[in-house]
Amino acid sequence: RVNFQISVVSVKNIQSFTRCQINYRRYVKFRRGIILLQSVHRGSEERKDIQRKNVAAVVLQSWLRAVLEASFFNAHRAAAVILQRTVRGMITRSEIELQQFAASEIQLCWMHYQSQRIASATDIQRVARGMIARSDMELQFFAASEIQRVWRGHRV
């Protein structure tokens, strides 16, 4: 009977040890699976985070490029407006000067006509047209010179 009891205890010990080994192997396998699952999840989350950061970087870069391009465009536009304003002002002043010159020449011719009463209307017109034509040529030459001077960077 004692022998049988020792055998039963031994069998129970062996069974307990075997169950313990089986459970430990299951535990290790289960743990490896959990660790693998966690690493896959962490990798997925990290890739999503990197993707979000890449999208944010692209958005910031495109915004910065747009701001820089707008600034560049506005600077060139302002320079063009200043150049146009300067040239138009010079042209207008030269036209006014030409008109004043033409008016004074016409007045001079009229006074000369009144004083002499010899010149005819056609002579006055001929003289006035000649002066206007010469003034137009001078104005065109002056405008071309001014545009060239401004274009070449000389001070006004």
Side-chain angles (χ1 to χ4, degrees):
R1 186 151 171 70
V2 173
N3 231 353
F4 179 72
Q5 285 181 347
I6 292 176
S7 289
V8 170
V9 169
S10 293
V11 168
K12 285 184 181 182
N13 282 341
I14 291 172
Q15 287 175 344
S16 172
F17 178 76
T18 305
R19 277 191 226 108
C20 184
Q21 286 296 319
I22 291 171
N23 285 335
Y24 180 74
R25 286 184 189 135
R26 283 181 190 161
Y27 164 75
V28 168
K29 192 175 180 181
F30 181 72
R31 185 170 174 225
R32 283 183 189 153
I34 288 176
I35 290 172
L36 178 66
L37 208 78
Q38 287 174 341
S39 71
V40 167
H41 178 70
R42 277 194 292 268
S44 171
E45 288 298 315
E46 188 64 26
R47 282 187 293 279
K48 286 178 187 176
D49 187 48
I50 288 172
Q51 181 65 27
R52 281 191 295 265
K53 287 179 181 177
N54 283 343
V55 168
V58 166
V59 167
L60 284 174
Q61 289 169 352
S62 69
W63 176 81
L64 181 61
R65 276 194 297 272
V67 167
L68 290 176
E69 285 296 321
S71 173
F72 183 75
F73 173 77
N74 288 336
H76 283 287
R77 183 174 180 211
V81 167
I82 290 171
L83 181 63
Q84 289 171 348
R85 182 177 58 207
T86 303
V87 169
R88 286 182 187 138
M90 290 186 314
I91 290 171
T92 302
R93 283 188 293 278
S94 65
E95 286 175 354
I96 290 172
E97 185 179 310
L98 176 64
Q99 290 171 357
Q100 288 174 345
F101 176 75
S104 66
E105 288 294 319
I106 291 171
Q107 288 172 354
L108 182 65
C109 288
W110 180 253
M111 285 188 268
H112 182 67
Y113 172 75
Q114 290 292 336
S115 67
Q116 302 228 345
R117 299 269 181 186
I118 299 172
S120 67
T122 56
D123 289 338
I124 293 172
Q125 290 173 352
R126 179 180 47 82
V127 170
R129 284 189 191 116
M131 288 188 296
I132 289 172
R134 284 188 294 281
S135 296
D136 283 343
M137 287 176 50
E138 288 175 8
L139 174 64
Q140 290 173 357
F141 178 77
F142 177 74
S145 298
E146 288 300 313
I147 290 172
Q148 289 173 354
R149 184 174 62 75
V150 169
W151 181 259
R152 290 178 183 151
H154 296 283
R155 293 279 174 179
V156 176

